[in-house]
Amino acid sequence: MRRRIRLLIACSLLALLFGCSKLTMENYEKLQMGLGYDEVVDILGKPDHCSEALFVRSCVWGDEQRNITVNFVGGKVVLFTSKNLK
């Protein structure tokens, strides 16, 4: 009986962890040209990584299989794309 309870708790925690991802189509649709970096972080959380080249800051939320990429110029969104969102 205790084993079943532990298994149920473990499964519930995993579901909660994976269910809290901000990589959703709903959040992607909140992105707009001109939003500031902090506004995007409010929507998507802290990016997994960012890089800069020629005054363009490119930030990625997620991994190679599933992600949102946002490009900023002067701290404002100029381009955003997604891959495999549901």
Side-chain angles (χ1 to χ4, degrees):
M1 182 67 163
R2 284 186 182 201
R3 185 174 178 195
R4 285 185 184 175
I5 292 173
R6 286 183 188 162
L7 182 60
L8 180 61
I9 290 171
C11 289
S12 297
L13 289 174
L14 284 174
L16 182 63
L17 237 162
F18 290 108
C20 292
S21 173
K22 292 192 172 194
L23 288 178
T24 64
M25 187 55 74
E26 180 181 341
N27 282 340
Y28 180 77
E29 290 172 348
K30 292 178 183 177
L31 299 177
Q32 299 176 9
M33 301 288 280
L35 285 179
Y37 174 81
D38 291 335
E39 293 173 292
V40 175
V41 169
D42 286 343
I43 295 168
L44 299 176
K46 185 178 174 185
D48 291 297
H49 68 274
C50 293
S51 61
E52 288 192 45
L54 299 173
F55 309 107
V56 176
R57 183 178 192 186
S58 180
C59 296
V60 178
W61 287 259
D63 55 32
E64 289 184 23
Q65 285 74 36
R66 184 171 171 243
N67 64 56
I68 295 174
T69 301
V70 182
N71 293 326
F72 301 89
V73 173
K76 302 291 183 185
V77 174
V78 293
L79 176 70
F80 52 96
T81 60
S82 70
K83 182 177 178 183
N84 294 327
L85 293 185
K86 297 178 182 176

